[in-house]
Every structure is written in C-alpha cells, then in structure tokens.
Amino acid sequence: MLEAAGAALASFADPMMLLFLGVGVIVGIIIGVIPGLGGTGAVAVLVPFVFVLEPNQAIAMIIGAVAVVHTSDVVTSVALGIPGSAAASVFLLDGHEMAKKGQGGRALSMSFLSSMIGGLVGIVALTLVVPIAGPIVRTFGSPEIFALIVMGVFLTALLSKGNMIKGLLISAFGLALGQIGVSPVSAEYRYTFGSDFLTDGIGLVAAALGIFGLAEIIDLVAKRGAVSNEKISLGGGWAQGFKDIFKYKGDVLRGSAVGVGVGMLPGVGSTAGSWLAYGQAQAFASRRKNSQFGSGDPRGVIAPSAASNGIESGALIPTLLFGVPGAAPFALLLGVLLIFGIQPGPRMISTDLDVVYFIVWAFAIAGVVGAAIAFCVARPLAKLSFISFPILAAALIPILFMSGFQEPLDLNVFYLMLVLGIIGWICKITDIPRAPFLIAFVLAELNIRLVGGRQS
C-alpha cells in the first residue's frame, strides 16, 4: 500500500497533472459562489471534458472541483446573507451576523481554514480505513454488493430531510430512468419507445445538469432581480481568523469528525451534516455558559465549515470501497471512473489501489490550494451576486446545455435536459429531495454491471 501511495503522489510531479487539478479547483470555487449549483453542478460542467483527457488528469480535475465547493459557497452566505448552497445556509446565523459587525473577513478566514482542515481529516480517515477494510471488502461478491446498492438507495431516501415517502418516490424515478437503453446483460432495448436517442440510455451529465443545474436557474430566474441587493463590506479581521482556529481547535476537530461520520452515510448530505455540527458546537458552548450563537459566535462558523468538507472527503469512503455514492457529486465521480473502465468497490481495492491513493492526494492538495485561492478571490467573487440573475443565467445556460451535449452529441439531449430541469424545479418548490434521484440513477447502471458481470 505504501508503494501505491508513493506512486500516486509521484504523479503530481507532472505539471500537467497540477494544471488540471488547478482547473478543477478554480471551477469549483466559482461555481460554489453561485447559489444552487453546488458540487453537483461543478462536476457536471467538467464531466464532458474527461473524454479528451487521460484518466488521472480527468480524476484530478473532478476531485479538485468537489474538494473546494464548500470552501467558497460560504462567501455569499457571510457577505450577502444569500447561501451559496443549502449547506451554507447555516452561516446566515453567525457568519452573516459577524459581517454586519464589520468582521466578515474574520468569518471567512475561519471558514476557509476550517474547511481545509475538515477535508484533510476526512482524507486521513479514508487513508486509515483502506488497509483495515481492504481484506474485508475483497471478500465481497455480487450478492453482497447488490445488497449494499439496495441499502444505499433506501438509506438515501430514508434520510432525505424527513421526507421519507418523497425520497423513496424520487429514488424510484431515478432507478426507472437508469434502466432506459440497451441492457448490458441481455442486449435488449428497454423503455426506448422506438427512439434511437434513448437506445444508449440517458446520459449521467444530462440528468445531473437538468435535475440540479437547470432547476436552480429556473428557480432563480423566476424570482428575477439580482441574487442580492444588500451590500455589506467584508471588513477586516482576516488575521484574527487564524488565531480563532487555534483558540477553538476542539470545535474544528469535532466538526470535522461529525462531517466524516455523516459523509459515510449515503444521501445524508452536507446540509444535514453542517446543521448537526452547528448543533453539537452550540451544545458544547452551552456547557461553558459562554454561548453567543446566533449573534456572531465564531464557533458557529468554525464547526459547520469543518464539517462541510469533512462530509465531502468522508463520502469518498463508501464511494470508493463499496461503489455506493456518499453524496450526489460522487455519483458523477462514479460515472467518470466507469468511463475509464475503473470499477468502484472491492475490485478497485484489489486492482486499482493506486487510483484510490491518487484521489486521496488530489483531494488533500486541492483542499490546501483551494483555501489559499479563496483568500485571494473572496472579495471579487462576492460581487458576482450583485449581477442580475437573468444576465448571469444567459451565460450559464449555454454552458450547461453544451456540457450535456458533449456526451451524446445529439440535439435531443436539449429537450431531455429541459424536461428534467422542469421536474427538478417542481421538486425544489415542493420540497422533494433531488440527491436520491441522482444516486439511484447511477446505482441502477452500476447494479446491472455488477449483477451481469463477475464480481469476486
């Protein structure tokens, strides 16, 4: 294993590898600031480009984006009171209150550093788990993997913010769409209704961009106006944020641990994990009778920040070891791995251990680089939210449609994405969770591959 880890690290001696990792980091930071798109949108925008890259280059770019989305989505939450993602809504309580007091720079400084540490803690956890779980995972065959996939679908639905029935229904919808196309087992066409376009199935990129990206754009355009009209100076305190990390190091570590634990549970997601970390930090502070949560307490920023990236790195554990995506962005990562013939799960531990450690190093490096870049670009990125969203959407919509077009090279994908976008928007306004759809969609294809092939 040390040999595989060393070989994976040596890959980053190639400047091109660092270049593609950097591209992913920059895209992730920019997308993270735009409300609603999040990690799924960032990865989906990048996926079409993997077809012209080497496997490690593509994986580095994807991991770079996932590793930093929750580093930057806090910017609009703190500076403008508009969450960059659902998970970042927790920062409205204390982060935005700090900004109102002229301590926005301090809040962002704490958040960037905590987020970086949380991601690194998750990566350490994955590194420690691999040698322990490896021998056990290698004994898994098709029945065990099938059981894990079924459990993953149900767990994703059951833990959907209390909307169990809605989660199960949207999971069933995802499984149904994942069955469309030619069967890899029997070569029969399923649910194509005579359409040549559907014979290859529905593309993962088109599904993700439609149900998440376009749905968010439709929602925000319907509201009109700029994302925010309230201008608050970020203020100072950047250096104080560094000191707060050491002062509240216990909250950093506890938040990271909560994040990793939540990330290992498929479908729970960063939103629930961030609020859980906030709750435990508030509980610990209450014991000391010095709590100022809700009015600008630094611990209310530090704990959920550490948890948010801890969740992303922790979600790699079920994704890589068992082939069950820990979160929606990792459903897309599974798709990328499958494109290059890399089978996540027990087979990956046996035959592609170097890829596992490559992902570990990529996430760690991206987390550090992303935090550094976030310090430099926080102020200009915050200004994106003052642009009228219909104008911003005019630039985003062509990018999303062209990203979805790159995989099938068929104009019918535009109609498919539009339909899925409307469905995603309906889900959003009716509080139907969308992460179970994407995870079930990916697991539908993965299940067929595992049952149809030999997994031992």
Side-chain angles (χ1 to χ4, degrees), residues 251-320:
D251 292 279
V252 175
L253 295 177
R254 284 193 297 270
S256 301
V258 169
V260 174
V262 170
M264 293 174 64
L265 299 174
V268 178
S270 54
T271 303
S274 296
W275 282 102
L276 185 61
Y278 183 89
Q280 64 82 24
Q282 188 176 28
F284 271 89
S286 297
R287 295 177 185 177
R288 303 187 184 101
K289 299 180 180 180
N290 63 345
S291 174
Q292 296 180 348
F293 278 73
S295 59
D297 195 306
R299 291 164 292 186
V301 176
I302 288 174
S305 294
S308 61
N309 250 27
I311 291 167
E312 298 301 311
S313 51
L316 285 170
I317 296 175
T319 302
L320 299 180

Side-chain angles (χ1 to χ4, degrees), residues 33 35 75-76 78-82 96 225-234 378-392:
V33 176
V75 173
T76 50
V78 170
L80 311 171
I82 302 295
H96 189 52
V227 176
S228 176
N229 296 313
E230 178 186 7
K231 297 189 178 183
I232 295 178
S233 173
L234 288 181
R379 293 180 186 276
L381 282 179
K383 295 178 181 178
L384 280 177
S385 294
F386 296 121
I387 301 174
S388 177
F389 201 85
I391 297 175
L392 196 58

Side-chain angles (χ1 to χ4, degrees), residues 7 10 52 55 95 104 159 275-276 310 347 370 380:
V52 295
L159 297 176
W275 282 102
L276 185 61
R347 186 178 298 174

